[in-house]
Amino acid sequence: AALGLLPGKASVSGSVRLGSDQLIGASRTKLESIRGGRIAMIFQDPSSSLNPVIHAGRQIAEAVELHRGLTGRAARNEAVRLMEMVGIPDAVRRFDNFPHEFSGGQNQRLMIAMALAGNPDLLIADEPTTALDATIQAQILDLLISIREETGMAIVFISHDLGAVSQICERVCVMYAGNIVEKCPTESLFRSPRHPYTRGLFDAIPRIDAGRDRLVPIPGTVPQPGRMPGGCAFAPRCGHASELCHNKVPPLLALDDDRATACFHPLSDGATASKPNLMQVQQGVAWA
C-alpha cells in the first residue's frame, strides 16, 4: 500500500510519510523514485521474486544500474560486492548462475543483495524467513542485524514468528484483524504482554522445558473481513470481554510512557499463570 504496488481497484486511505514526502496518493513518477532507492522490500518467497531465465548476478546489477547510475564493469563489480556482503560464496564465479542453481537460503540472500543495491533508508522485510529451515533462518536474521548496524538502515520486519521478532526488532506492533492492538518496546512486550490476544500468542508457544501439559490455544477463529463483529474484533474469542467490548471498538490508548493497548480490560503483569520468557521463546523457535 505504501509503495503503490496494489492493483488499481484497491482503495487506500490514511497517511504514510517518508521524511517530508507523503506516499499515499503520490504520483507514479514520485513512487518510482522512492521504490528501491529510498524504500526497498524483501518478499516472502524469493523463488517467485527472481526471474528464472536471467543470471542472478545480472538481476542485482540491473538494480545497481537503476538506482546508483553505475554501468558495465562498475555495476558488475558492485553486484559481486553485494553478493559477497550477504554471504554468497565464490560470488565472482556464481554471478552467472541462474536462481535455480542456488538454495532457498541463498536465493533469499540474493533478494537481500538486490534490496541493498539502492542504499535504501528503509527495508521492508515481509516474512523473509518463513520458507527457510531453522538454521538458515537464524543466519538470515543475523545477516539483517549486521547490515542494519553497518549501514544505519531502518527495518520494518513483518512476521508471525515471535522468536524472530525478539531477535531483530526494537519496537513491536501486534496486529489483529487489520488493526494494531498493542505496541511497545520488544522487551516490554515479552516481559508483560497486556492485550489478551498478545497474551494468548505467548501461551500457545511450546516450550523446551515444559512437561506434557497441553498447550493453551486461543479459542475460535479470526473473523472474516466482510463479517467483522461489532465492537472489539477479538471480543468473541476473549475470556476477559464484557458487554462494552461487544458493542464498542476500543481505541489505542497509552497505558504508560512506552506502551499503548487497544483494550477496555488490559491485563496486569500477573494476569495469567506464566509470563513469557524471552530466552525460552528464542530457544523454542531455534529448536522447533
Side-chain angles (χ1 to χ4, degrees), residues 64-114:
V64 171
E65 293 170 0
L66 181 63
H67 300 297
R68 306 264 287 279
L70 300 177
T71 58
R73 176 60 62 178
R76 181 186 177 95
N77 291 341
E78 178 61 11
V80 169
R81 185 189 72 83
L82 289 170
M83 292 173 68
E84 292 174 342
M85 175 187 289
V86 299
I88 300 295
D90 199 6
V92 174
R93 182 181 62 83
R94 305 204 69 187
F95 181 93
D96 292 321
N97 284 13
F98 291 98
H100 73 269
E101 297 179 275
F102 294 86
S103 67
Q106 288 176 332
N107 274 324
Q108 193 62 282
R109 290 172 185 269
L110 292 172
M111 284 301 303
I112 295 173
M114 194 180 302

Side-chain angles (χ1 to χ4, degrees), residues 3-267:
L3 294 176
L5 298 176
L6 296 176
K9 63 181 181 180
S11 176
V12 181
S13 61
S15 175
V16 177
R17 290 187 175 275
L18 181 65
S20 60
D21 295 323
Q22 172 61 256
L23 303 187
I24 300 299
S27 66
R28 178 176 177 179
T29 303
K30 181 68 174 178
L31 289 175
E32 287 179 348
S33 69
I34 290 175
R35 293 188 198 122
R38 298 189 63 191
I39 301 179
M41 188 163 184
I42 307 172
F43 293 96
Q44 183 171 345
D45 183 8
S47 61
S48 64
S49 302
L50 294 168
N51 192 319
V53 297
I54 298 179
H55 296 143
R58 177 61 201 145
Q59 296 184 57
I60 299 173
E62 183 180 18
V64 171
E65 293 170 0
L66 181 63
H67 300 297
R68 306 264 287 279
L70 300 177
T71 58
R73 176 60 62 178
R76 181 186 177 95
N77 291 341
E78 178 61 11
V80 169
R81 185 189 72 83
L82 289 170
M83 292 173 68
E84 292 174 342
M85 175 187 289
V86 299
I88 300 295
D90 199 6
V92 174
R93 182 181 62 83
R94 305 204 69 187
F95 181 93
D96 292 321
N97 284 13
F98 291 98
H100 73 269
E101 297 179 275
F102 294 86
S103 67
Q106 288 176 332
N107 274 324
Q108 193 62 282
R109 290 172 185 269
L110 292 172
M111 284 301 303
I112 295 173
M114 194 180 302
L116 296 175
N119 288 332
D121 300 320
L122 172 65
L123 176 65
I124 301 175
D126 180 13
E127 300 205 36
T129 61
T130 299
L132 307 176
D133 63 52
T135 302
I136 303 302
Q137 171 181 304
Q139 294 175 3
I140 294 297
L141 291 177
D142 289 341
L143 173 62
L144 290 174
I145 292 170
S146 64
I147 290 173
R148 180 181 62 187
E149 293 173 349
E150 291 174 11
T151 65
M153 172 184 65
I155 296 178
V156 174
F157 188 80
I158 305 165
S159 180
H160 65 276
D161 187 333
L162 289 171
V165 168
S166 71
Q167 287 183 257
I168 201 168
C169 297
E170 296 174 354
R171 293 190 59 82
V172 180
C173 290
V174 180
M175 298 188 71
Y176 182 81
N179 291 304
I180 295 175
V181 297
E182 184 166 7
K183 63 177 183 179
C184 61
T186 304
E187 184 178 351
S188 298
L189 186 82
F190 280 76
R191 183 176 63 248
S192 57
R194 305 294 296 277
H195 194 279
Y197 172 63
T198 312
R199 178 70 262 181
L201 293 178
F202 281 107
D203 286 341
I205 296 175
R207 304 195 178 195
I208 295 176
D209 59 349
R212 297 182 62 84
D213 295 337
R214 298 181 68 86
L215 297 177
V216 182
I218 300 175
T221 59
V222 178
Q224 298 181 17
R227 297 182 178 180
M228 296 294 289
C232 175
F234 188 65
R237 309 177 67 188
C238 181
H240 301 269
S242 65
E243 184 177 353
L244 176 64
C245 303
H246 290 281
N247 295 309
K248 187 176 180 180
V249 178
L252 185 66
L253 298 177
L255 294 181
D256 47 47
D257 292 339
D258 67 349
R259 183 192 298 266
T261 303
C263 184
F264 292 121
H265 308 291
L267 304 176

